[in-house]
Amino acid sequence: MAAGVAAWLPFARAAAIGWMPVANCPMPIAPRDHRKRHDELIILNVSGRRFQTWRTTLDRFPDTLLGSSEKQFFYDEETKEYFFDRDPDSFRSILNFYRTGKLHYPRYECISAYDEELTFFGIIPEIIGDCCYEEYKDRKRENAERLQDDQDDNKDCKLPNMTYRETMWRAFENPHTSTMALVFYYVTGFFIAISVLTNVIETVPCGATPSQKDMPCGERYTIAFFCMDTACVLIFTVEYLMRLFAAPSRYQFMRSVMSIIDVVAIFPYYIGLVMTDNEDVSGAFVTLRVFRVFRIFKFSRHSQGLRILGYTLKSCASELGFLLFSLTMAIIIFATVMFYAEKGSSSTKFTSIPASFWYTIVTMTTLGYGDMVPKTIAGKIFGSICSLSGVLVIALPVPVIVSNFSRIYHQNQRADKRRAQKVQKARLARIRIAQTGSSCTGFLQSKRNDLLNELLELTGSEEEEQQLNKSMSLLESQHHHLLHCLEKTTAHEFVDEQLYEQNCLETTIQSYTSRSPSFSSQDGPMGTCCTRRGKMNSPLPNSSLPLQPSHQQGSLQELSALHIQCGDKVPHTNSRSSLNMKTDEVGLINCKGSQITTAIISIPTAPSDTTDGDGLHGPPQRRPPPPPTGPQAPSINTTASSNVIKVSAL
Amino acid sequence: MGALMVIFSLQKDQRRKRTDSVEDELELSAVRHRPEGLEQLEALTRFNRKELQILYRGFKNECPSGMVNEDTFKVIYSQFFPQGDASMYAHFLFNAFDTDKDGSVSFEDFVMGLSILLRGSVQEKLNWAFNLYDINKDGYITKEEMLDIMKAIYDMMGKCTYPLLKDDTPRQHVEIFFQKMDKNKDGVVTIDEFIDCCQNDENIMRSMQLFENVI
């Protein structure tokens, strides 16, 4: 249970008096508090530093070391204190957890030392409060990565049993794994450089021969450049095909950015090979050569920084978009103004608004080429305003991008938001499981246990009974008693989700309504809600739960407060355990009153067992129902033992 | 120019941080409530010193400011009923505890309510229960008020119940209640009818004693 909630339990229980006049049943007996009334101070001696706290403070979290009986192992009889040989500084935050209910992670603390302390004291780290959880997770991840890096550096031998394909892929991705990979890495790098250089030099005018004009080298030494190009493209093609072959997921590889860059880099060459003779398209073909410059992006496999830059730009897409938008707005505004301002002057370069765009952009970015200048006074005024505002407009979104870049750079490939959300969900799930798993699978489990106890009492097996008597803390038993009172007040019971869904299904599937004749004349208007089993009133015509033919004896009565309707629940649920568990009927044990048939569990006689797999319905009746008429046998709702019940963090 | 812009942006961040903290401080000066002394509370309620001490420690731990407002109250109460929705009933409870109607439950309200519930006579407890049901505090419980209360109680069960909760279950329960309590069949239950009827009902009398030993 959460810290403060335990303090309010007495209040909740007292407030339950508000239900009493409304309830139609007697209430279950409250659990007795056998412990001492007064609160005692406990002394915790942690490596010499004494901490003192109330016992009830520690009892708030019964599934931790300090809250459970595990601390008795550390009790020192002579000094009457609990001695722990741990770090007193870390203990401070652990004790504060008990006091305030929130666990904090102190920043100066080493992450692994803190983790160890938490493990020792039985506290799961997921409980760390939201204020400190981010920091904790970051530090933990950094630590894990550091350990991982160390491990990676240490292992440089190939893992055995890797297929040839996997080896190749590993070689491609991580060039330091083997010499071949390194060689490959440098060779490809070299050829990328050569290819880019070739493209550049192709356009430089070589020395002019006397016969011809200055022409670029590309046209002069066509063959040489062509051979160079071919060689580079061949290498790139081979590399691409090898990567494609080695990739674990080919489809994913083909969709990745790097492979698209590869394809774009080598495509123009092949298209050029195909289309050399067609005159019309050759103009377009020349344009295609521009794409050869994309080869330079292949360097990003070789450079980490380039990848981070690309990633930053991708993640700052919204800010970039905003920058673009605001710039466009300003450009259009100023271009319009300048155009109309300069319209009057003669031989003006501001021939149209789109023509003024160029001037606006050059002025706003404070470039000022000077190829277009305003001549009128109005133009000059607006031009200066344009230039001043340019500084402002660009200054606004750029720092956002800059800060984004620095954030990403420092975090260096931080996980996706999607992964963080998954972690958050996983964390909450872990908290829920830890808390429901250890302390109680809820109220329902305890009901089951109580019923089992009853069962075993009857069959007289002492040992099993003791086994089942899990010691529940007083707080839990009081809370269960409270829930029990609510059940009694409303004359309905809590069931777990599974059972509820089954019940829903049953009510919709079943269509058979029949009444067992043996129930026609039972004790009349029972009035009380406790007569669940067996005895029923005159059959009410509008029962929503029809009987199943094979279970005529068993009739679980569906209760509304007054009417005792007869409805049969099929106890078909996967009754795994031989001890048929029931999730209800505990209350009957506490009910008094002679008119109540306490036939909670009874063995159904012959005909009703057909669908019940296990056969054993339960131990014989507790008390013979007055008057015993015929086979009383109400059926038992055998249910499967529940799995995780959604209990809140109590 | 790029450097200039970066410098401007950094300065802007710092300035923003400073103004934020000033605003936060203004918000933080929340209401703090100090209860009356132990002696007065001892006189007003039926708890002894030790019990008051324990109660106050628990109360103050959960609500350091000394006052519980309705939302906190709902959250606290809902934690005891994980399967259902306890907010409506918590609302009624809150109104029952907040005797001075100032929108928050202070420690005095809390402890006086508890004193009635745990140490009061049966008459007082029944009075308290009547007060809880009588939503508009006019001295009569009408069927609508009872229906609201009943729905709130049934809401706490949630939907996963056995047998399945039907829509008119609260209404039927209210009918039973009125049949039992409303002696003169005038459609409302007065305090006298209520107390009379409860005192004649063995079950209710017994269950009223149930929580004697809670503290």
Side-chain angles (χ1 to χ4, degrees), chain A residues 4-19 478 482, chain B residues 47 55 59 68 72-78 80-81 89-98 105 109-115 117-118 128 211 214-215:
Chain A
V5 170
W8 285 73
L9 186 58
F11 156 74
R13 301 182 67 214
I17 287 187
W19 306 333
Q478 286 178 344
L482 183 67
Chain B
F47 294 115
L55 279 172
F59 184 85
V68 191
T72 321
F73 193 86
K74 283 186 181 169
V75 165
I76 293 174
Y77 198 71
S78 303
F80 293 107
F81 302 99
Y89 190 70
H91 166 75
F92 294 128
L93 261 187
F94 185 82
N95 287 337
F97 267 87
D98 184 18
V105 169
D109 295 333
F110 177 70
V111 101
M112 285 198 288
L114 276 189
S115 162
L117 286 173
L118 300 176
W128 188 91
F211 292 108
V214 166
I215 296 287

Short mmCIF file of all heavy atoms in Angstrom, two decimals, chain A residues 4-19 478 482, chain B residues 47 55 59 68 72-78 80-81 89-98 105 109-115 117-118 128 211 214-215:
data_model
loop_
_atom_site.label_atom_id
_atom_site.label_comp_id
_atom_site.label_asym_id
_atom_site.label_seq_id
_atom_site.Cartn_x
_atom_site.Cartn_y
_atom_site.Cartn_z
N GLY A 4 0.95 7.01 2.50
CA GLY A 4 -0.07 7.75 3.22
C GLY A 4 -1.39 7.01 3.27
O GLY A 4 -2.16 7.20 4.18
N VAL A 5 -1.61 6.18 2.29
CA VAL A 5 -2.88 5.49 2.25
C VAL A 5 -3.06 4.64 3.49
O VAL A 5 -4.13 4.55 4.05
CB VAL A 5 -2.95 4.61 0.99
CG1 VAL A 5 -4.14 3.72 1.04
CG2 VAL A 5 -3.02 5.50 -0.22
N ALA A 6 -1.97 4.04 3.94
CA ALA A 6 -2.08 3.22 5.15
C ALA A 6 -2.57 4.07 6.30
O ALA A 6 -3.34 3.61 7.14
CB ALA A 6 -0.71 2.63 5.48
N ALA A 7 -2.15 5.33 6.35
CA ALA A 7 -2.58 6.17 7.45
C ALA A 7 -4.07 6.47 7.36
O ALA A 7 -4.70 6.74 8.37
CB ALA A 7 -1.79 7.48 7.43
N TRP A 8 -4.62 6.43 6.18
CA TRP A 8 -6.03 6.76 6.02
C TRP A 8 -6.94 5.55 6.10
O TRP A 8 -8.16 5.69 6.01
CB TRP A 8 -6.25 7.48 4.69
CG TRP A 8 -5.77 8.88 4.74
CD1 TRP A 8 -4.47 9.29 4.74
CD2 TRP A 8 -6.57 10.05 4.84
NE1 TRP A 8 -4.43 10.66 4.82
CE2 TRP A 8 -5.67 11.15 4.87
CE3 TRP A 8 -7.94 10.28 4.89
CZ2 TRP A 8 -6.12 12.46 4.97
CZ3 TRP A 8 -8.38 11.59 4.97
CH2 TRP A 8 -7.48 12.65 5.02
N LEU A 9 -6.37 4.39 6.22
CA LEU A 9 -7.23 3.20 6.29
C LEU A 9 -8.19 3.26 7.46
O LEU A 9 -9.37 2.92 7.28
CB LEU A 9 -6.35 1.94 6.34
CG LEU A 9 -7.13 0.63 6.25
CD1 LEU A 9 -7.94 0.56 4.99
CD2 LEU A 9 -6.19 -0.55 6.33
N PRO A 10 -7.77 3.67 8.62
CA PRO A 10 -8.76 3.75 9.70
C PRO A 10 -9.92 4.66 9.35
O PRO A 10 -11.08 4.38 9.66
CB PRO A 10 -7.99 4.33 10.89
CG PRO A 10 -6.58 4.10 10.58
CD PRO A 10 -6.44 4.06 9.09
N PHE A 11 -9.62 5.74 8.65
CA PHE A 11 -10.67 6.64 8.25
C PHE A 11 -11.64 5.96 7.28
O PHE A 11 -12.86 6.07 7.42
CB PHE A 11 -10.04 7.88 7.60
CG PHE A 11 -10.96 8.58 6.69
CD1 PHE A 11 -11.99 9.34 7.17
CD2 PHE A 11 -10.82 8.44 5.33
CE1 PHE A 11 -12.87 9.96 6.33
CE2 PHE A 11 -11.68 9.06 4.47
CZ PHE A 11 -12.71 9.83 4.97
N ALA A 12 -11.08 5.26 6.31
CA ALA A 12 -11.94 4.59 5.33
C ALA A 12 -12.81 3.55 6.02
O ALA A 12 -13.99 3.38 5.68
CB ALA A 12 -11.09 3.94 4.24
N ARG A 13 -12.22 2.88 6.98
CA ARG A 13 -13.01 1.87 7.67
C ARG A 13 -14.11 2.51 8.49
O ARG A 13 -15.24 2.02 8.55
CB ARG A 13 -12.11 1.02 8.55
CG ARG A 13 -11.02 0.33 7.75
CD ARG A 13 -10.16 -0.53 8.62
NE ARG A 13 -10.89 -1.65 9.12
CZ ARG A 13 -10.69 -2.18 10.32
NH1 ARG A 13 -9.79 -1.68 11.10
NH2 ARG A 13 -11.39 -3.21 10.72
N ALA A 14 -13.77 3.61 9.18
CA ALA A 14 -14.79 4.30 9.95
C ALA A 14 -15.89 4.80 9.04
O ALA A 14 -17.09 4.71 9.35
CB ALA A 14 -14.16 5.46 10.71
N ALA A 15 -15.52 5.31 7.89
CA ALA A 15 -16.53 5.83 6.97
C ALA A 15 -17.43 4.74 6.45
O ALA A 15 -18.52 5.03 5.95
CB ALA A 15 -15.84 6.54 5.80
N ALA A 16 -16.99 3.50 6.59
CA ALA A 16 -17.85 2.41 6.12
C ALA A 16 -19.13 2.32 6.92
O ALA A 16 -20.06 1.63 6.51
CB ALA A 16 -17.08 1.10 6.20
N ILE A 17 -19.17 3.01 8.06
CA ILE A 17 -20.41 3.02 8.83
C ILE A 17 -21.53 3.61 7.98
O ILE A 17 -22.70 3.31 8.19
CB ILE A 17 -20.20 3.80 10.14
CG1 ILE A 17 -19.36 2.92 11.06
CG2 ILE A 17 -21.49 4.17 10.79
CD1 ILE A 17 -19.20 3.46 12.44
N GLY A 18 -21.15 4.42 7.03
CA GLY A 18 -22.17 4.98 6.16
C GLY A 18 -22.89 3.93 5.32
O GLY A 18 -23.98 4.19 4.80
N TRP A 19 -22.30 2.77 5.17
CA TRP A 19 -22.97 1.74 4.38
C TRP A 19 -23.92 0.91 5.22
O TRP A 19 -24.80 0.23 4.66
CB TRP A 19 -21.95 0.76 3.78
CG TRP A 19 -20.87 1.37 2.98
CD1 TRP A 19 -20.92 2.56 2.31
CD2 TRP A 19 -19.58 0.84 2.77
NE1 TRP A 19 -19.73 2.78 1.68
CE2 TRP A 19 -18.90 1.73 1.95
CE3 TRP A 19 -18.94 -0.33 3.19
CZ2 TRP A 19 -17.60 1.51 1.55
CZ3 TRP A 19 -17.65 -0.56 2.78
CH2 TRP A 19 -16.99 0.36 1.97
N GLN A 478 -7.17 -5.71 7.16
CA GLN A 478 -8.19 -4.69 7.42
C GLN A 478 -8.76 -4.17 6.11
O GLN A 478 -9.96 -3.93 5.99
CB GLN A 478 -7.58 -3.54 8.22
CG GLN A 478 -7.35 -3.92 9.67
CD GLN A 478 -6.70 -2.80 10.45
OE1 GLN A 478 -6.16 -1.87 9.86
NE2 GLN A 478 -6.75 -2.88 11.75
N LEU A 482 -12.61 -4.34 4.72
CA LEU A 482 -13.37 -3.20 4.22
C LEU A 482 -14.04 -3.54 2.90
O LEU A 482 -15.23 -3.27 2.69
CB LEU A 482 -12.42 -2.01 4.04
CG LEU A 482 -13.03 -0.71 3.59
CD1 LEU A 482 -13.93 -0.16 4.66
CD2 LEU A 482 -11.94 0.30 3.28
N PHE B 47 -11.02 11.01 21.74
CA PHE B 47 -9.75 10.32 21.66
C PHE B 47 -8.84 10.82 22.75
O PHE B 47 -8.92 11.95 23.17
CB PHE B 47 -9.07 10.60 20.30
CG PHE B 47 -9.82 10.05 19.13
CD1 PHE B 47 -10.36 10.89 18.18
CD2 PHE B 47 -9.97 8.68 18.97
CE1 PHE B 47 -11.04 10.38 17.09
CE2 PHE B 47 -10.64 8.17 17.89
CZ PHE B 47 -11.17 9.02 16.94
N LEU B 55 -3.08 9.87 14.95
CA LEU B 55 -3.93 10.32 13.86
C LEU B 55 -3.32 11.51 13.14
O LEU B 55 -3.33 11.61 11.92
CB LEU B 55 -5.30 10.72 14.40
CG LEU B 55 -6.28 9.58 14.65
CD1 LEU B 55 -7.50 10.10 15.34
CD2 LEU B 55 -6.65 8.93 13.33
N PHE B 59 -2.19 11.98 9.27
CA PHE B 59 -2.86 13.01 8.48
C PHE B 59 -1.84 13.96 7.88
O PHE B 59 -1.87 14.29 6.69
CB PHE B 59 -3.82 13.75 9.40
CG PHE B 59 -4.65 14.78 8.72
CD1 PHE B 59 -5.83 14.42 8.08
CD2 PHE B 59 -4.28 16.11 8.71
CE1 PHE B 59 -6.61 15.36 7.46
CE2 PHE B 59 -5.06 17.06 8.08
CZ PHE B 59 -6.23 16.69 7.46
N VAL B 68 -7.18 19.08 3.52
CA VAL B 68 -7.43 18.18 2.39
C VAL B 68 -8.51 18.81 1.53
O VAL B 68 -9.59 19.09 2.02
CB VAL B 68 -7.94 16.81 2.87
CG1 VAL B 68 -7.96 15.83 1.75
CG2 VAL B 68 -7.12 16.32 4.02
N THR B 72 -7.94 15.79 -3.56
CA THR B 72 -7.02 14.90 -2.83
C THR B 72 -7.80 13.83 -2.10
O THR B 72 -7.43 12.66 -2.07
CB THR B 72 -6.21 15.70 -1.81
OG1 THR B 72 -5.86 16.94 -2.37
CG2 THR B 72 -4.98 14.95 -1.40
N PHE B 73 -8.93 14.28 -1.51
CA PHE B 73 -9.77 13.36 -0.76
C PHE B 73 -10.23 12.22 -1.67
O PHE B 73 -10.18 11.04 -1.29
CB PHE B 73 -10.97 14.14 -0.25
CG PHE B 73 -11.76 13.42 0.79
CD1 PHE B 73 -11.40 13.50 2.11
CD2 PHE B 73 -12.88 12.70 0.44
CE1 PHE B 73 -12.14 12.86 3.07
CE2 PHE B 73 -13.62 12.05 1.40
CZ PHE B 73 -13.25 12.13 2.72
N LYS B 74 -10.66 12.59 -2.87
CA LYS B 74 -11.13 11.56 -3.78
C LYS B 74 -10.01 10.60 -4.14
O LYS B 74 -10.22 9.38 -4.20
CB LYS B 74 -11.66 12.21 -5.07
CG LYS B 74 -13.02 12.81 -4.91
CD LYS B 74 -13.54 13.31 -6.25
CE LYS B 74 -14.90 13.93 -6.06
NZ LYS B 74 -15.37 14.66 -7.22
N VAL B 75 -8.83 11.16 -4.38
CA VAL B 75 -7.71 10.31 -4.76
C VAL B 75 -7.39 9.33 -3.63
O VAL B 75 -7.21 8.13 -3.85
CB VAL B 75 -6.48 11.17 -5.08
CG1 VAL B 75 -5.23 10.33 -5.13
CG2 VAL B 75 -6.67 11.88 -6.40
N ILE B 76 -7.35 9.85 -2.41
CA ILE B 76 -7.00 8.99 -1.28
C ILE B 76 -8.04 7.89 -1.14
O ILE B 76 -7.70 6.71 -0.98
CB ILE B 76 -6.93 9.82 0.02
CG1 ILE B 76 -5.76 10.79 -0.05
CG2 ILE B 76 -6.78 8.92 1.22
CD1 ILE B 76 -5.72 11.72 1.12
N TYR B 77 -9.31 8.29 -1.18
CA TYR B 77 -10.34 7.29 -0.95
C TYR B 77 -10.39 6.27 -2.07
O TYR B 77 -10.66 5.09 -1.85
CB TYR B 77 -11.69 7.99 -0.79
CG TYR B 77 -12.72 7.12 -0.13
CD1 TYR B 77 -12.62 6.82 1.23
CD2 TYR B 77 -13.77 6.60 -0.85
CE1 TYR B 77 -13.55 6.01 1.83
CE2 TYR B 77 -14.70 5.78 -0.24
CZ TYR B 77 -14.59 5.49 1.10
OH TYR B 77 -15.52 4.67 1.69
N SER B 78 -10.10 6.73 -3.29
CA SER B 78 -10.17 5.80 -4.42
C SER B 78 -9.11 4.73 -4.35
O SER B 78 -9.25 3.68 -4.98
CB SER B 78 -10.00 6.55 -5.74
OG SER B 78 -10.96 7.54 -5.85
N PHE B 80 -8.48 2.87 -2.03
CA PHE B 80 -8.94 1.68 -1.31
C PHE B 80 -9.85 0.83 -2.15
O PHE B 80 -10.13 -0.31 -1.78
CB PHE B 80 -9.68 2.10 -0.05
CG PHE B 80 -8.79 2.74 0.96
CD1 PHE B 80 -8.86 4.09 1.19
CD2 PHE B 80 -7.87 1.99 1.66
CE1 PHE B 80 -8.02 4.69 2.11
CE2 PHE B 80 -7.04 2.58 2.57
CZ PHE B 80 -7.11 3.93 2.80
N PHE B 81 -10.34 1.37 -3.24
CA PHE B 81 -11.30 0.62 -4.04
C PHE B 81 -10.79 0.58 -5.47
O PHE B 81 -11.26 1.32 -6.33
CB PHE B 81 -12.67 1.27 -3.96
CG PHE B 81 -13.14 1.35 -2.55
CD1 PHE B 81 -13.02 2.53 -1.84
CD2 PHE B 81 -13.64 0.23 -1.91
CE1 PHE B 81 -13.42 2.59 -0.52
CE2 PHE B 81 -14.04 0.29 -0.59
CZ PHE B 81 -13.93 1.47 0.11
N TYR B 89 -18.84 8.63 -4.21
CA TYR B 89 -19.05 8.40 -2.79
C TYR B 89 -18.09 9.25 -1.98
O TYR B 89 -18.45 9.75 -0.91
CB TYR B 89 -18.85 6.91 -2.48
CG TYR B 89 -19.28 6.56 -1.09
CD1 TYR B 89 -20.63 6.57 -0.74
CD2 TYR B 89 -18.35 6.27 -0.10
CE1 TYR B 89 -21.02 6.28 0.54
CE2 TYR B 89 -18.75 5.97 1.17
CZ TYR B 89 -20.09 5.98 1.50
OH TYR B 89 -20.48 5.70 2.77
N ALA B 90 -16.88 9.41 -2.48
CA ALA B 90 -15.92 10.25 -1.78
C ALA B 90 -16.43 11.69 -1.72
O ALA B 90 -16.22 12.39 -0.73
CB ALA B 90 -14.56 10.21 -2.47
N HIS B 91 -17.12 12.08 -2.77
CA HIS B 91 -17.69 13.44 -2.76
C HIS B 91 -18.70 13.58 -1.63
O HIS B 91 -18.68 14.56 -0.87
CB HIS B 91 -18.34 13.71 -4.12
CG HIS B 91 -19.22 14.90 -4.16
ND1 HIS B 91 -18.73 16.19 -4.19
CD2 HIS B 91 -20.56 15.02 -4.16
CE1 HIS B 91 -19.74 17.04 -4.21
NE2 HIS B 91 -20.86 16.36 -4.20
N PHE B 92 -19.57 12.58 -1.50
CA PHE B 92 -20.57 12.66 -0.43
C PHE B 92 -19.90 12.60 0.94
O PHE B 92 -20.28 13.31 1.87
CB PHE B 92 -21.58 11.51 -0.56
CG PHE B 92 -22.43 11.63 -1.79
CD1 PHE B 92 -22.56 10.55 -2.66
CD2 PHE B 92 -23.09 12.81 -2.08
CE1 PHE B 92 -23.33 10.66 -3.79
CE2 PHE B 92 -23.86 12.91 -3.22
CZ PHE B 92 -23.99 11.84 -4.08
N LEU B 93 -18.92 11.75 1.04
CA LEU B 93 -18.19 11.64 2.31
C LEU B 93 -17.53 12.96 2.65
O LEU B 93 -17.54 13.39 3.81
CB LEU B 93 -17.09 10.58 2.19
CG LEU B 93 -17.37 9.21 2.74
CD1 LEU B 93 -16.10 8.40 2.68
CD2 LEU B 93 -17.87 9.29 4.17
N PHE B 94 -16.95 13.57 1.64
CA PHE B 94 -16.27 14.84 1.86
C PHE B 94 -17.25 15.85 2.41
O PHE B 94 -16.96 16.57 3.37
CB PHE B 94 -15.67 15.33 0.54
CG PHE B 94 -14.84 16.57 0.68
CD1 PHE B 94 -13.53 16.50 1.10
CD2 PHE B 94 -15.37 17.81 0.37
CE1 PHE B 94 -12.76 17.64 1.23
CE2 PHE B 94 -14.60 18.95 0.50
CZ PHE B 94 -13.30 18.87 0.92
N ASN B 95 -18.43 15.90 1.82
CA ASN B 95 -19.41 16.85 2.32
C ASN B 95 -19.83 16.52 3.74
O ASN B 95 -20.12 17.42 4.54
CB ASN B 95 -20.65 16.86 1.41
CG ASN B 95 -20.34 17.57 0.11
OD1 ASN B 95 -19.43 18.38 0.05
ND2 ASN B 95 -21.11 17.26 -0.92
N ALA B 96 -19.86 15.24 4.05
CA ALA B 96 -20.24 14.86 5.41
C ALA B 96 -19.16 15.25 6.41
O ALA B 96 -19.47 15.61 7.54
CB ALA B 96 -20.50 13.36 5.47
N PHE B 97 -17.91 15.18 5.99
CA PHE B 97 -16.84 15.52 6.92
C PHE B 97 -16.61 17.00 7.02
O PHE B 97 -16.20 17.51 8.06
CB PHE B 97 -15.53 14.84 6.49
CG PHE B 97 -15.33 13.51 7.13
CD1 PHE B 97 -15.85 12.37 6.57
CD2 PHE B 97 -14.62 13.42 8.32
CE1 PHE B 97 -15.66 11.14 7.19
CE2 PHE B 97 -14.44 12.20 8.93
CZ PHE B 97 -14.96 11.06 8.36
N ASP B 98 -16.86 17.68 5.94
CA ASP B 98 -16.55 19.10 5.92
C ASP B 98 -17.70 19.85 6.58
O ASP B 98 -18.55 20.43 5.90
CB ASP B 98 -16.34 19.55 4.46
CG ASP B 98 -15.92 21.00 4.38
OD1 ASP B 98 -15.47 21.55 5.39
OD2 ASP B 98 -16.06 21.56 3.28
N VAL B 105 -11.15 19.79 4.17
CA VAL B 105 -11.26 19.09 5.45
C VAL B 105 -9.98 19.34 6.24
O VAL B 105 -8.90 18.92 5.82
CB VAL B 105 -11.46 17.58 5.21
CG1 VAL B 105 -11.30 16.81 6.49
CG2 VAL B 105 -12.82 17.32 4.60
N ASP B 109 -11.93 18.83 11.52
CA ASP B 109 -13.08 18.17 10.89
C ASP B 109 -12.87 16.67 10.88
O ASP B 109 -13.75 15.88 11.24
CB ASP B 109 -13.25 18.64 9.44
CG ASP B 109 -13.59 20.10 9.35
OD1 ASP B 109 -14.18 20.62 10.31
OD2 ASP B 109 -13.26 20.72 8.31
N PHE B 110 -11.68 16.30 10.44
CA PHE B 110 -11.34 14.89 10.28
C PHE B 110 -11.49 14.16 11.60
O PHE B 110 -12.15 13.13 11.70
CB PHE B 110 -9.90 14.83 9.77
CG PHE B 110 -9.34 13.46 9.60
CD1 PHE B 110 -9.79 12.62 8.61
CD2 PHE B 110 -8.33 13.02 10.44
CE1 PHE B 110 -9.25 11.37 8.44
CE2 PHE B 110 -7.78 11.77 10.27
CZ PHE B 110 -8.25 10.95 9.27
N VAL B 111 -10.94 14.75 12.63
CA VAL B 111 -10.88 14.01 13.88
C VAL B 111 -12.22 14.02 14.59
O VAL B 111 -12.58 13.09 15.29
CB VAL B 111 -9.72 14.59 14.73
CG1 VAL B 111 -10.21 15.50 15.79
CG2 VAL B 111 -8.84 13.52 15.24
N MET B 112 -12.99 15.09 14.36
CA MET B 112 -14.32 15.10 14.97
C MET B 112 -15.23 14.09 14.30
O MET B 112 -16.01 13.41 14.96
CB MET B 112 -14.91 16.51 14.93
CG MET B 112 -14.24 17.40 15.96
SD MET B 112 -15.13 18.87 16.39
CE MET B 112 -14.91 19.81 14.92
N GLY B 113 -15.10 14.01 12.99
CA GLY B 113 -15.89 13.00 12.29
C GLY B 113 -15.54 11.60 12.77
O GLY B 113 -16.41 10.78 13.07
N LEU B 114 -14.24 11.35 12.88
CA LEU B 114 -13.80 10.03 13.33
C LEU B 114 -14.27 9.75 14.75
O LEU B 114 -14.62 8.62 15.09
CB LEU B 114 -12.28 9.93 13.28
CG LEU B 114 -11.68 9.55 11.94
CD1 LEU B 114 -10.20 9.27 12.11
CD2 LEU B 114 -12.35 8.32 11.40
N SER B 115 -14.27 10.79 15.56
CA SER B 115 -14.68 10.59 16.95
C SER B 115 -16.13 10.11 17.00
O SER B 115 -16.48 9.21 17.76
CB SER B 115 -14.51 11.90 17.70
OG SER B 115 -15.25 11.88 18.87
N LEU B 117 -17.70 8.57 14.58
CA LEU B 117 -17.84 7.26 13.94
C LEU B 117 -17.30 6.14 14.79
O LEU B 117 -17.82 5.03 14.77
CB LEU B 117 -17.10 7.27 12.60
CG LEU B 117 -17.81 8.05 11.50
CD1 LEU B 117 -16.91 8.13 10.28
CD2 LEU B 117 -19.11 7.39 11.14
N LEU B 118 -16.22 6.42 15.52
CA LEU B 118 -15.58 5.33 16.22
C LEU B 118 -15.92 5.29 17.69
O LEU B 118 -15.88 4.24 18.31
CB LEU B 118 -14.05 5.43 16.06
CG LEU B 118 -13.57 5.36 14.62
CD1 LEU B 118 -12.07 5.56 14.57
CD2 LEU B 118 -13.92 4.02 14.02
N TRP B 128 -25.05 10.65 12.10
CA TRP B 128 -24.02 10.92 11.11
C TRP B 128 -24.38 10.29 9.78
O TRP B 128 -24.23 10.90 8.71
CB TRP B 128 -22.67 10.39 11.61
CG TRP B 128 -21.50 10.79 10.75
CD1 TRP B 128 -20.74 11.90 10.89
CD2 TRP B 128 -21.00 10.08 9.63
NE1 TRP B 128 -19.78 11.93 9.92
CE2 TRP B 128 -19.91 10.82 9.12
CE3 TRP B 128 -21.36 8.90 8.98
CZ2 TRP B 128 -19.18 10.41 8.02
CZ3 TRP B 128 -20.63 8.49 7.88
CH2 TRP B 128 -19.55 9.25 7.41
N PHE B 211 -16.82 -1.32 14.04
CA PHE B 211 -15.53 -0.66 13.89
C PHE B 211 -15.10 0.02 15.18
O PHE B 211 -14.43 1.04 15.15
CB PHE B 211 -15.61 0.37 12.76
CG PHE B 211 -15.78 -0.27 11.42
CD1 PHE B 211 -16.97 -0.19 10.75
CD2 PHE B 211 -14.74 -0.97 10.84
CE1 PHE B 211 -17.14 -0.79 9.52
CE2 PHE B 211 -14.89 -1.56 9.60
CZ PHE B 211 -16.10 -1.46 8.94
N VAL B 214 -11.10 0.34 15.72
CA VAL B 214 -10.28 0.69 14.56
C VAL B 214 -9.04 1.45 14.96
O VAL B 214 -7.95 1.20 14.45
CB VAL B 214 -11.12 1.51 13.57
CG1 VAL B 214 -10.23 2.18 12.54
CG2 VAL B 214 -12.11 0.61 12.88
N ILE B 215 -9.16 2.35 15.87
CA ILE B 215 -7.95 3.09 16.27
C ILE B 215 -7.37 2.40 17.48
O ILE B 215 -8.03 2.34 18.50
CB ILE B 215 -8.29 4.55 16.59
CG1 ILE B 215 -8.78 5.25 15.34
CG2 ILE B 215 -7.06 5.25 17.12
CD1 ILE B 215 -7.71 5.55 14.33
#
